[in-house]
Amino acid sequence: QLAAAGRAGCPAGLLARQSRSDAGERRPRARARARQEREKRRGPHRRAREAVVVGSARAKEMEAMLRQLQVFTRERGLRWEDLFCDFDRHNVKRVSEDAFRRGLTASGFAFGPGQIEQVVSAFRVPLTEVVAYRDFCDAIESAFVRKGLEKRPAANVPLMKPDLSQPTTKLHELDQDEQRRLEAVISLIGRRAQVERVELKRFWVDFDTRRCGFVSSGQFQRGLAFLLSREKSGDYAESAELIIRAYSNSRDEVNYRKLAQDVEQHIRTTATDQAD
């Protein structure tokens, strides 16, 4: 090569330096190729183990999220399919990813960071950019509905889990002074109910489309205004705020059934005391 380079007029030293440079560049490439070959030989097993770990963790997260969505669905009486059907013009039970995200957001559920994308990924149709929302709805409704029972009437259907049967019922706690004032307001409502001979629940039952015993605070105040309007209950706004605080849950929904039960209990107790 040196002789050929000399005949071509190329300095031998330059050719030698270039050869050493090429060899130095080839060595890292050879090492990288060897490392890639080793990764290929053991890669599938490692990637499989990593996929199992990541998949199991994501499956647990998705299961927990679906559980929360089922509780939310029970509390709100939500029909998830109604949120997506307007985007499904051809009634194929599939919508685009953007439409699916809009439906999830419109539900009112407080999704955490990245949870919407996690749901989209879980129910995305493979190799497409559409989401099978019917599968998502079935996953939510599986806590309440068992499909195919008409074909298997003797199938064993498990009972609904207790924490899905009722909405969040934990009410706010009151101090002693607020409790004393609340008892006075309940006494006024009881007297009004006796005089007018009315059933308290009828003031709110029409608003309770889910028949769960809870209505919004605005709906609750409509009936409460009638019950307290003619009574000398002092400041109506203060009394209404106290009752709403005492009988509302963490979602600011008022448990009118509990109020009616407390008023009826107060009426019975008062009647017993007077008889004695």
Side-chain angles (χ1 to χ4, degrees):
Q1 291 180 350
L2 293 177
R7 288 193 298 270
C10 180
L14 179 60
L15 181 60
R17 287 195 298 273
Q18 185 176 359
S19 300
R20 289 193 298 271
S21 176
D22 293 342
E25 292 178 358
R26 285 196 296 270
R27 280 194 294 271
R29 288 199 294 267
R31 287 195 293 268
R33 284 196 297 271
R35 185 166 55 252
Q36 291 176 358
E37 291 296 331
R38 290 194 300 270
E39 290 293 333
K40 287 182 180 179
R41 287 194 295 269
R42 65 182 180 181
H45 303 287
R46 176 183 297 177
R47 288 194 294 270
R49 290 194 299 270
E50 293 175 352
V52 170
V53 174
V54 174
S56 60
R58 290 180 178 176
K60 291 181 180 178
E61 293 177 1
M62 178 57 64
E63 183 179 356
M65 189 192 310
L66 289 176
R67 187 68 175 171
Q68 295 174 0
L69 287 169
Q70 289 170 347
V71 175
F72 178 81
T73 301
R74 181 64 181 182
E75 290 181 357
R76 297 299 179 92
L78 188 63
R79 287 178 52 86
W80 285 94
E81 191 167 348
D82 294 344
L83 301 176
F84 307 113
C85 62
D86 289 341
F87 303 108
D88 185 12
R89 296 181 180 180
H90 302 290
N91 195 27
V92 294
K93 307 304 180 183
R94 297 181 179 183
V95 294
S96 66
E97 294 182 4
D98 290 338
F100 188 70
R101 293 187 186 95
R102 291 171 63 182
L104 293 178
T105 304
S107 68
F109 182 79
F111 287 96
Q115 287 186 334
I116 289 182
E117 294 303 320
Q118 186 177 357
V119 177
V120 172
S121 300
F123 295 95
R124 181 188 294 117
V125 178
L127 304 179
T128 67
E129 295 183 356
V130 298
V131 180
Y133 71 86
R134 184 63 258 178
D135 294 343
F136 170 76
C137 295
D138 289 343
I140 299 297
E141 295 171 0
S142 63
F144 324 110
V145 179
R146 289 295 181 270
K147 290 190 173 183
L149 289 180
E150 67 279 2
K151 300 179 181 179
R152 299 177 293 109
N156 183 21
V157 180
L159 296 177
M160 186 182 300
K161 295 180 175 56
D163 57 345
L164 296 181
S165 61
Q166 293 294 335
T168 304
T169 57
K170 185 176 181 180
L171 306 180
H172 296 287
E173 297 182 358
L174 305 179
D175 57 30
Q176 293 183 354
D177 180 63
E178 290 175 330
Q179 188 64 38
R180 178 182 53 79
R181 289 160 44 206
L182 177 64
E183 292 176 357
V185 176
I186 289 177
S187 177
L188 291 174
I189 295 176
R191 288 201 299 268
R192 178 67 187 277
Q194 284 182 301
V195 171
E196 300 288 341
R197 296 184 180 278
V198 296
E199 183 182 3
L200 294 179
K201 295 179 183 179
R202 74 176 182 86
F203 291 104
W204 301 288
V205 69
D206 290 339
F207 299 117
D208 184 12
T209 58
R210 296 170 289 157
R211 298 296 183 264
C212 62
F214 284 78
V215 295
S216 68
S217 59
Q219 294 168 341
F220 181 77
Q221 290 187 58
R222 296 185 189 182
L224 190 64
F226 175 81
L227 290 171
L228 295 179
S229 60
R230 299 179 186 177
E231 295 289 346
K232 297 179 180 180
S233 57
D235 187 1
Y236 166 77
E238 182 179 351
S239 300
E241 181 181 358
L242 178 62
I243 292 179
I244 291 174
R245 171 177 166 75
Y247 290 95
S248 63
N249 59 12
S250 58
R251 298 186 183 278
D252 293 330
E253 298 172 325
V254 184
N255 190 343
Y256 70 90
R257 287 183 184 172
K258 182 68 166 59
L259 173 63
Q261 292 172 0
D262 290 347
V263 172
E264 292 171 359
Q265 179 63 34
H266 175 79
I267 293 174
R268 288 194 296 268
T269 302
T270 303
T272 302
D273 295 341
Q274 291 176 353
D276 294 340

